[in-house]
Amino acid sequence: MTNRTKVGIHTDQAPPPRGAYSQAVVVGDLVWTAGFGPVDPVTRAIVGDDVAEQTRQTLRNVAAALEAAGSDLQDVVKVTAHLADIDNDWDDFDTAYREFFEEPRPVRTTAGSSLGGILVEIDVVAVKGSRRRR
């Protein structure tokens, strides 16, 4: 029987939630993260003036939440990314994004969104610790 208990994840290595939600949730072998932006987990300041730098910080935050949940970026199967200016920032976002994922890369949905002062927000779904079981 699969464990269906929902476990909330919290780490000081990623920015704390600004509302009533967990940084990540684990159910069985799956991990869902909240949407993270380019916020420094210590200073809580926005990191980066361009989408590439903000993407890198955002993915470092996602990676920290995954690590706290027993997973990592290579365990990610689905990415949802939001760009404040998808028409102008797509190429720079995609170039920075590629630095974090090996083949086979996860499936991804990228949408244009109003993000309240940041250029990118990303959430993921990952398999818990799949690489360590291979």
Coordinates of all heavy atoms in Angstrom, one line a residue, residues 43-91:
T43 N 18.2 37.5 3.1 CA 17.9 38.9 3.1 C 16.4 39.2 2.6 O 15.9 40.3 2.9 CB 18.8 39.7 2.1 OG1 18.6 39.3 0.8 CG2 20.3 39.4 2.5
R44 N 15.8 38.2 1.9 CA 14.5 38.4 1.3 C 14.4 39.4 0.3 O 13.3 39.9 -0.1 CB 13.4 38.5 2.4 CG 13.4 37.3 3.3 CD 12.3 37.3 4.3 NE 12.4 36.2 5.2 CZ 11.8 36.1 6.3 NH1 11.1 37.0 6.8 NH2 12.0 35.0 7.0
A45 N 15.6 39.8 -0.3 CA 15.6 40.8 -1.4 C 15.5 40.1 -2.7 O 15.9 38.9 -2.8 CB 16.9 41.6 -1.3
I46 N 15.0 40.7 -3.7 CA 14.9 40.2 -5.0 C 16.3 40.1 -5.6 O 17.1 41.1 -5.5 CB 14.0 41.0 -5.9 CG1 12.5 40.9 -5.4 CG2 14.1 40.5 -7.4 CD1 11.6 41.8 -6.1
V47 N 16.7 39.0 -6.2 CA 18.1 38.8 -6.7 C 18.0 39.0 -8.2 O 17.2 38.2 -8.9 CB 18.6 37.4 -6.3 CG1 20.0 37.2 -7.0 CG2 18.8 37.3 -4.8
G48 N 18.8 39.8 -8.8 CA 18.9 39.9 -10.2 C 18.0 41.0 -10.8 O 16.9 41.3 -10.4
D49 N 18.6 41.6 -11.9 CA 17.9 42.7 -12.6 C 17.4 42.2 -14.0 O 16.7 42.9 -14.6 CB 18.9 43.9 -12.9 CG 19.3 44.5 -11.6 OD1 18.4 44.6 -10.7 OD2 20.4 45.0 -11.5
D50 N 17.8 41.0 -14.4 CA 17.3 40.4 -15.6 C 16.8 39.0 -15.4 O 17.0 38.4 -14.4 CB 18.5 40.4 -16.7 CG 19.7 39.6 -16.3 OD1 19.5 38.4 -16.0 OD2 20.8 40.1 -16.2
V51 N 16.1 38.6 -16.4 CA 15.4 37.3 -16.3 C 16.3 36.1 -16.1 O 16.0 35.2 -15.4 CB 14.4 37.1 -17.4 CG1 15.1 36.7 -18.7 CG2 13.3 36.0 -17.1
A52 N 17.5 36.2 -16.7 CA 18.4 35.0 -16.6 C 18.9 34.9 -15.2 O 18.9 33.8 -14.6 CB 19.6 35.2 -17.5
E53 N 19.3 36.0 -14.6 CA 19.8 36.0 -13.2 C 18.6 35.6 -12.2 O 18.8 34.8 -11.3 CB 20.4 37.3 -12.8 CG 21.2 37.3 -11.5 CD 21.9 38.6 -11.2 OE1 22.0 39.5 -12.1 OE2 22.4 38.8 -10.1
Q54 N 17.5 36.1 -12.5 CA 16.3 35.8 -11.6 C 15.9 34.3 -11.8 O 15.5 33.7 -10.8 CB 15.1 36.7 -11.9 CG 15.3 38.1 -11.4 CD 14.1 38.9 -11.3 OE1 13.0 38.4 -11.5 NE2 14.2 40.2 -11.1
T55 N 16.0 33.8 -13.0 CA 15.8 32.4 -13.2 C 16.7 31.5 -12.4 O 16.3 30.5 -11.8 CB 15.8 32.0 -14.7 OG1 14.8 32.8 -15.4 CG2 15.6 30.5 -15.0
R56 N 18.0 31.8 -12.4 CA 19.0 31.1 -11.7 C 18.7 31.1 -10.2 O 18.7 30.0 -9.5 CB 20.4 31.6 -11.9 CG 20.8 31.3 -13.3 CD 22.3 31.9 -13.6 NE 22.6 31.8 -15.0 CZ 22.6 32.8 -15.8 NH1 22.3 34.0 -15.4 NH2 22.9 32.6 -17.1
Q57 N 18.3 32.3 -9.6 CA 18.0 32.3 -8.2 C 16.7 31.6 -7.9 O 16.6 30.8 -6.9 CB 17.9 33.8 -7.7 CG 17.6 33.9 -6.2 CD 18.6 33.3 -5.3 OE1 19.8 33.5 -5.6 NE2 18.2 32.5 -4.3
T58 N 15.8 31.7 -8.8 CA 14.5 31.0 -8.6 C 14.7 29.5 -8.5 O 14.2 28.7 -7.7 CB 13.5 31.3 -9.7 OG1 13.2 32.7 -9.6 CG2 12.2 30.6 -9.6
L59 N 15.5 29.0 -9.5 CA 15.8 27.5 -9.5 C 16.7 27.1 -8.3 O 16.5 25.9 -7.8 CB 16.4 27.1 -10.8 CG 15.4 27.1 -12.0 CD1 16.0 27.0 -13.3 CD2 14.3 26.1 -11.8
R60 N 17.5 27.9 -7.8 CA 18.2 27.6 -6.6 C 17.3 27.4 -5.4 O 17.4 26.6 -4.6 CB 19.3 28.6 -6.3 CG 20.5 28.6 -7.2 CD 21.7 29.4 -6.7 NE 21.4 30.8 -6.9 CZ 21.8 31.6 -7.9 NH1 22.4 31.0 -9.0 NH2 21.5 32.8 -8.0
N61 N 16.2 28.3 -5.4 CA 15.2 28.2 -4.3 C 14.4 26.9 -4.5 O 14.1 26.2 -3.5 CB 14.3 29.4 -4.3 CG 15.0 30.7 -3.9 OD1 16.0 30.7 -3.2 ND2 14.5 31.8 -4.4
V62 N 14.0 26.6 -5.7 CA 13.3 25.4 -5.9 C 14.1 24.2 -5.5 O 13.7 23.2 -4.8 CB 12.9 25.2 -7.4 CG1 12.3 23.9 -7.7 CG2 11.8 26.3 -7.8
A63 N 15.4 24.2 -5.9 CA 16.3 23.1 -5.5 C 16.4 22.9 -4.0 O 16.5 21.8 -3.5 CB 17.7 23.3 -6.1
A64 N 16.5 24.0 -3.3 CA 16.5 23.9 -1.8 C 15.3 23.3 -1.2 O 15.4 22.5 -0.3 CB 16.7 25.3 -1.2
A65 N 14.1 23.6 -1.7 CA 12.9 23.0 -1.2 C 12.9 21.5 -1.6 O 12.5 20.7 -0.8 CB 11.7 23.7 -1.8
L66 N 13.3 21.2 -2.8 CA 13.4 19.8 -3.2 C 14.3 19.0 -2.3 O 14.0 17.9 -1.9 CB 13.8 19.6 -4.6 CG 12.8 20.1 -5.7 CD1 13.4 20.1 -7.1 CD2 11.5 19.2 -5.6
E67 N 15.5 19.6 -2.0 CA 16.5 18.9 -1.2 C 15.9 18.6 0.2 O 16.1 17.5 0.8 CB 17.8 19.7 -1.1 CG 18.8 19.0 -0.2 CD 20.1 19.8 -0.2 OE1 20.4 20.5 -1.1 OE2 20.8 19.7 0.9
A68 N 15.2 19.6 0.8 CA 14.6 19.4 2.1 C 13.5 18.3 2.0 O 13.2 17.6 3.1 CB 13.9 20.7 2.5
A69 N 13.0 18.0 0.9 CA 12.0 17.0 0.7 C 12.6 15.6 0.3 O 11.8 14.7 0.0 CB 10.9 17.4 -0.3
G70 N 13.9 15.5 0.1 CA 14.5 14.3 -0.3 C 14.6 14.1 -1.8 O 14.6 13.0 -2.2
S71 N 14.7 15.2 -2.5 CA 14.6 15.1 -4.0 C 15.7 16.1 -4.5 O 16.4 16.7 -3.7 CB 13.2 15.4 -4.5 OG 13.1 15.2 -5.8
D72 N 15.8 16.2 -5.8 CA 16.6 17.3 -6.4 C 16.1 17.6 -7.8 O 15.1 17.0 -8.3 CB 18.1 16.9 -6.4 CG 18.4 15.6 -7.3 OD1 17.8 15.5 -8.3 OD2 19.3 14.9 -6.9
L73 N 16.8 18.6 -8.4 CA 16.3 19.0 -9.7 C 16.3 17.9 -10.8 O 15.4 18.0 -11.7 CB 17.1 20.2 -10.2 CG 16.9 21.5 -9.5 CD1 17.9 22.6 -10.0 CD2 15.5 22.0 -9.6
Q74 N 17.1 16.9 -10.7 CA 17.2 15.9 -11.7 C 16.0 14.9 -11.5 O 15.8 14.1 -12.3 CB 18.5 15.2 -11.6 CG 19.7 16.1 -12.0 CD 19.4 17.0 -13.2 OE1 18.9 16.6 -14.2 NE2 19.7 18.3 -13.0
D75 N 15.3 15.0 -10.4 CA 14.1 14.2 -10.1 C 12.8 14.9 -10.6 O 11.7 14.3 -10.5 CB 13.9 13.9 -8.6 CG 15.0 13.1 -8.0 OD1 15.5 12.1 -8.8 OD2 15.4 13.3 -6.9
V76 N 12.9 16.1 -11.1 CA 11.8 16.9 -11.6 C 11.2 16.3 -12.9 O 11.9 16.0 -13.8 CB 12.1 18.3 -11.8 CG1 11.0 19.1 -12.4 CG2 12.5 19.0 -10.4
V77 N 9.8 16.1 -12.9 CA 9.2 15.6 -14.0 C 8.3 16.7 -14.7 O 8.0 16.5 -15.9 CB 8.3 14.4 -13.7 CG1 9.2 13.2 -13.3 CG2 7.2 14.6 -12.7
K78 N 7.9 17.7 -14.0 CA 7.0 18.7 -14.5 C 7.4 20.1 -14.0 O 7.6 20.2 -12.8 CB 5.6 18.4 -14.2 CG 4.6 19.5 -14.5 CD 4.3 19.7 -16.0 CE 3.1 20.6 -16.3 NZ 3.5 21.8 -16.9
V79 N 7.6 21.1 -14.8 CA 7.9 22.4 -14.4 C 6.8 23.4 -15.0 O 6.3 23.2 -16.1 CB 9.2 22.9 -15.0 CG1 9.5 24.4 -14.7 CG2 10.4 22.1 -14.5
T80 N 6.3 24.3 -14.1 CA 5.4 25.3 -14.6 C 6.2 26.6 -14.3 O 6.6 26.9 -13.2 CB 4.1 25.3 -13.8 OG1 3.5 24.1 -14.0 CG2 3.2 26.4 -14.4
A81 N 6.4 27.4 -15.4 CA 7.1 28.7 -15.2 C 6.2 29.8 -15.7 O 5.5 29.7 -16.7 CB 8.4 28.6 -16.1
H82 N 6.3 30.9 -15.0 CA 5.6 32.1 -15.3 C 6.6 33.2 -15.6 O 7.5 33.4 -14.8 CB 4.7 32.6 -14.2 CG 3.7 31.5 -13.8 ND1 2.4 31.5 -14.4 CD2 3.7 30.5 -13.0 CE1 1.8 30.5 -13.9 NE2 2.5 29.8 -13.0
L83 N 6.5 33.9 -16.7 CA 7.3 35.0 -17.1 C 6.5 36.3 -17.2 O 5.4 36.3 -17.8 CB 8.0 34.8 -18.4 CG 8.9 33.5 -18.5 CD1 9.5 33.4 -20.0 CD2 10.0 33.6 -17.5
A84 N 7.0 37.4 -16.6 CA 6.3 38.6 -16.6 C 6.3 39.2 -18.0 O 5.4 39.9 -18.4 CB 7.0 39.6 -15.7
D85 N 7.3 38.9 -18.8 CA 7.4 39.4 -20.2 C 7.8 38.3 -21.1 O 9.0 38.2 -21.6 CB 8.4 40.6 -20.3 CG 8.3 41.3 -21.7 OD1 7.7 40.8 -22.6 OD2 9.0 42.4 -21.8
I86 N 6.9 37.4 -21.4 CA 7.3 36.2 -22.1 C 7.8 36.5 -23.5 O 8.6 35.8 -24.0 CB 6.1 35.2 -22.1 CG1 6.5 33.8 -22.6 CG2 4.9 35.7 -23.0 CD1 5.5 32.7 -22.3
D87 N 7.3 37.5 -24.2 CA 7.7 37.9 -25.5 C 9.1 38.3 -25.6 O 9.8 37.9 -26.5 CB 6.8 39.0 -26.1 CG 5.4 38.5 -26.3 OD1 5.1 37.3 -26.5 OD2 4.4 39.4 -26.2
N88 N 9.6 39.0 -24.6 CA 11.0 39.5 -24.7 C 12.0 38.7 -23.9 O 13.2 38.8 -24.1 CB 11.0 41.0 -24.2 CG 10.3 41.9 -25.1 OD1 10.6 41.9 -26.3 ND2 9.5 42.8 -24.6
D89 N 11.5 37.9 -22.9 CA 12.4 37.2 -22.0 C 12.5 35.7 -22.2 O 13.3 35.1 -21.6 CB 12.0 37.4 -20.5 CG 12.3 38.8 -20.0 OD1 13.1 39.6 -20.7 OD2 11.7 39.2 -19.0
W90 N 11.8 35.2 -23.2 CA 11.8 33.8 -23.4 C 13.2 33.2 -23.6 O 13.6 32.2 -23.0 CB 10.9 33.4 -24.6 CG 11.1 32.0 -25.0 CD1 11.9 31.5 -26.0 CD2 10.5 30.8 -24.4 NE1 11.8 30.1 -26.1 CE2 11.0 29.7 -25.1 CE3 9.6 30.7 -23.4 CZ2 10.6 28.4 -24.8 CZ3 9.2 29.4 -23.0 CH2 9.7 28.3 -23.7
D91 N 14.0 33.7 -24.5 CA 15.3 33.2 -24.9 C 16.2 33.2 -23.7 O 16.9 32.2 -23.4 CB 15.9 33.9 -26.1 CG 15.1 33.6 -27.4 OD1 14.5 32.5 -27.5 OD2 15.2 34.4 -28.3

